[in-house]
Every structure is written in C-alpha cells, then in structure tokens.
C-alpha cells in the first residue's frame, strides 16, 4: 500500500484486518505505526518487492509517477486509486505497461470511514485480467464495479458521479439559505427537502432515455420556455431575502440559450446538448 494518508490508512487497514500480509509505505515515515498487521517499508522499492499487488492512493498522478521513479515494477499489478482525470489515467497506464506491469485505475466513491463497509463503492477500469486476478482482494474495500477496459473510464465515472453529488449538495445548500432567510431551522426544512428530492430523482430515468434517444420533444410536460419565464422569481426572491444567486445563475443562462436557439418546446434534459462540446460529441 503506497500512500498512508487518511484514505490510504483506511485501505491498508481493510486489507490487514482481512488477514492479508500488508506492507505500507508513506513519504513521511511512521504512518504505519498504529496499523495492526501492516509492516512499514523503508522505501518504495521495498514495498513493491513485498507483493505482486501494489495499491496506490496519494495526492495526484504526478506524485504516482514520482513515487515509482526508477523502481522496478515489472511483473506487478498496479491498482491506482488516486483521484485524477481520464487523460492522466490513460497516460499512466501506458507508462506502467511499458515497464512490464499490469495497470488498473480506480475511483473511490466513499470517504475513509466508509471503506470496507456496505455502502462503499470503488470503480475500476483497465486490464480485465489484472482486475479479475485480484477482484476478491479489492472487494474488501467495498463493492467493486469494473466499468471497462479503457483505463480512463473509472476516472470519468468518478468525476461524473461527483459532479452530480456537488450539484445536489449545491442545490440543497441554496434551499437551506433561502428558507433560512426567514429563520426556518435547517433541520425543520429537511423534513420537506428530502422527500421532495427523492421524488425529483424519479425524473432521471426519463432524462436518460431522452438523452440516449436524442428525442427531447415528445410528451413534454414542462417546457423550457415556460421554465425560463418563471425562473427570474428565484433571483427576485433571493435579492429580497438577502441570499446570493450564484448557484442558480448558470442553469438559467443555459436554459435561456436553449430557448433562444429554438428549443423552448423541449424538456429540460435537452440542456445536455449545450454541455457537450464538439470534441466530446466526436469522441462519442
């Protein structure tokens, strides 16, 4: 286990608690001291030599490249759980495989306390053979999902899911701020917010179907043109209540553009067409 920050410690602990001989290395020595069953390596080379499976979780991909340096990783399976981009994952895959190792990229959809628990999810992509060889071990970290042989897919799925999370959290924070402008306790407002959000999640399957088919105009119950007309109420109310509208402005601008482009009779899901740049459309 290379990298013993908060997440690395949680990963190493999960392996060790399951009875696997686990070696840990960290740039700052001494991090493995309180981890029962984890032997601290004096160097990256010592750690890599200790096991055919090498799991990495550090700050960024540059740190991964620096850590491996001139270390012999031939014959090893590298599972990189460092957060990064699809491009970085593909470049690291090329570098690792050129040195005789197998590469699996991963995205951890959990915080450290969730690791090894029922709600932890880890996405993987890259070498199918490498993943299947260690699927039973990696499964100790949480529910593993292999999303494809393209090593960049785990990072893509990771960031895509996180973008949805931040959008949800941002909307909820805006709601708390607006309701709280009249001293409504957030805990009281939560009783209405959670059921409402759950109900709205029911629209996602319809959005997905429209996006895949490209049909945004059949059976529309809430046209963009209508939504755009009503949307300024958010800004007026926010100004009157002393709440910033930064979180709402971007979606409004996209909605307005879509209507101006002649698509006012379509569903809100059609905004995805504006988010796709020509390069992403060409990539498929």
């Amino acid at each position: 286990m290379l990298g013993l920050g908060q997440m690395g410690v949680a990963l190493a602990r999960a392996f060790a608690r399951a009875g696997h001989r686990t070696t840990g290395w960290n740039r700052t020595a001494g991090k493995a001291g309180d981890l029962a069953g984890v032997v601290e390596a004096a160097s990256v080379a010592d750690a890599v030599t200790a096991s055919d499976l090498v799991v990495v979780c550090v700050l960024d991909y540059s740190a991964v490249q620096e850590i491996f340096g001139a270390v012999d990783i031939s014959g090893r399976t590298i599972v990189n759980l460092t957060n990064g981009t699809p491009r970085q994952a593909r470049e690291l895959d090329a570098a690792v495989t050129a040195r005789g190792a197998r590469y699996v990229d991963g995205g951890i959809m959990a915080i450290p306390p969730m690791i090894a628990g029922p709600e932890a999810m880890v996405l993987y992509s890259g070498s199918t053979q490498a993943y299947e060889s260690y699927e039973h071990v990696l499964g100790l970290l949480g529910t593993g999902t292999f999303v494809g042989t393209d090593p960049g897919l785990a990072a893509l799925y990771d960031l895509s899911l996180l973008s949805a999370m931040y959008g949800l959290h941002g909307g909820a924070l805006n709601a708390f701020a607006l309701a709280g402008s009249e001293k409504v306790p957030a805990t009281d407002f939560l009783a209405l917010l959670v059921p409402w959000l759950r109900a709205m999640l029911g629209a996602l399957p319809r959005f997905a179907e429209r996006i895949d088919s490209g049909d945004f105009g059949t059976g529309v119950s809430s046209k963009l043109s209508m939504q755009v007309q009503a949307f300024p109420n958010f800004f007026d109310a926010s100004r009157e209540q002393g709440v910033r509208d930064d979180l709402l402005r971007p979606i409004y601008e996209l909605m307005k553009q879509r209507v101006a482009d002649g698509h006012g009779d379509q569903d809100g899901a059609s905004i995805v067409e504006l988010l796709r740049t020509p390069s992403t459309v060409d990539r498929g």
Side-chain angles (χ1 to χ4, degrees):
M1 181 70 227
L2 303 182
L4 294 175
Q6 284 187 311
M7 183 60 78
V9 163
L11 301 176
R13 182 178 288 121
F15 293 135
R17 283 180 173 173
H20 289 281
R21 180 174 56 83
T22 305
T23 301
W25 174 88
N26 194 70
R27 191 181 302 276
T28 302
K31 289 293 187 72
D34 296 329
L35 290 175
V38 178
V39 177
E40 185 165 10
S43 68
V44 175
D46 289 344
V48 170
T49 302
S51 176
D52 290 336
L53 174 62
V54 180
V55 180
V56 191
C57 186
V58 291
L59 179 63
D60 54 32
Y61 278 66
S62 295
V64 177
Q65 295 274 23
E66 182 183 346
I67 285 171
F68 284 127
V71 174
D72 181 11
I73 58 173
S74 59
R76 299 295 190 266
T77 293
I78 309 297
V79 177
N80 180 31
L81 301 182
T82 301
N83 185 263
T85 71
R87 174 189 58 80
Q88 290 174 319
R90 294 179 184 118
E91 291 177 352
L92 187 57
D93 170 71
V96 166
T97 54
R99 295 169 61 180
R102 301 187 302 181
Y103 184 78
V104 175
D105 201 82
I108 301 175
M109 309 307 300
I111 57 176
M114 293 170 61
I115 293 300
E119 295 182 350
M121 176 172 66
V122 187
L123 308 172
Y124 300 97
S125 62
S127 169
T128 304
Q129 183 182 22
Y131 175 71
E132 291 178 348
S133 296
Y134 293 103
E135 184 177 4
H136 63 293
V137 180
L138 297 173
L140 297 169
L141 306 178
T143 300
T145 300
F146 188 78
V147 296
T149 56
D150 176 351
L153 284 179
L156 181 67
Y157 277 54
D158 180 9
L159 294 174
S160 299
L161 291 170
L162 288 174
S163 72
M165 179 198 74
Y166 279 112
L168 175 65
H169 288 179
L173 290 173
N174 193 89
F176 284 134
L178 196 55
S181 66
E182 292 294 345
K183 310 302 181 185
V184 177
T187 49
D188 289 352
F189 186 68
L190 195 67
L192 293 174
L193 181 61
V194 170
W196 167 250
L197 291 179
R198 284 177 179 156
M200 291 303 97
L201 288 176
L204 294 185
R206 186 183 72 249
F207 274 23
E209 290 172 2
R210 290 189 182 280
I211 291 168
D212 285 346
S213 69
D215 179 5
F216 299 103
T218 302
V220 176
S221 58
S222 182
K223 297 181 179 180
L224 272 173
S225 57
M226 179 193 72
Q227 295 184 52
V228 165
Q229 289 297 316
F231 215 93
N233 288 329
F234 287 116
F235 307 131
D236 293 340
S238 295
R239 182 179 62 256
E240 293 164 2
Q241 298 299 128
V243 175
R244 293 174 59 167
D245 60 23
D246 306 56
L247 286 168
L248 296 173
R249 284 283 174 187
I251 186 67
Y252 177 58
E253 294 302 323
L254 290 169
M255 291 167 66
K256 279 201 307 180
Q257 182 178 338
R258 192 68 179 160
V259 172
D261 290 344
H263 304 293
D265 61 340
Q266 294 187 345
D267 185 89
S270 70
I271 292 173
V272 74
E273 297 294 295
L274 293 176
L275 299 177
R276 292 170 167 163
T277 65
S279 61
T280 59
V281 173
D282 292 343
R283 191 178 184 92

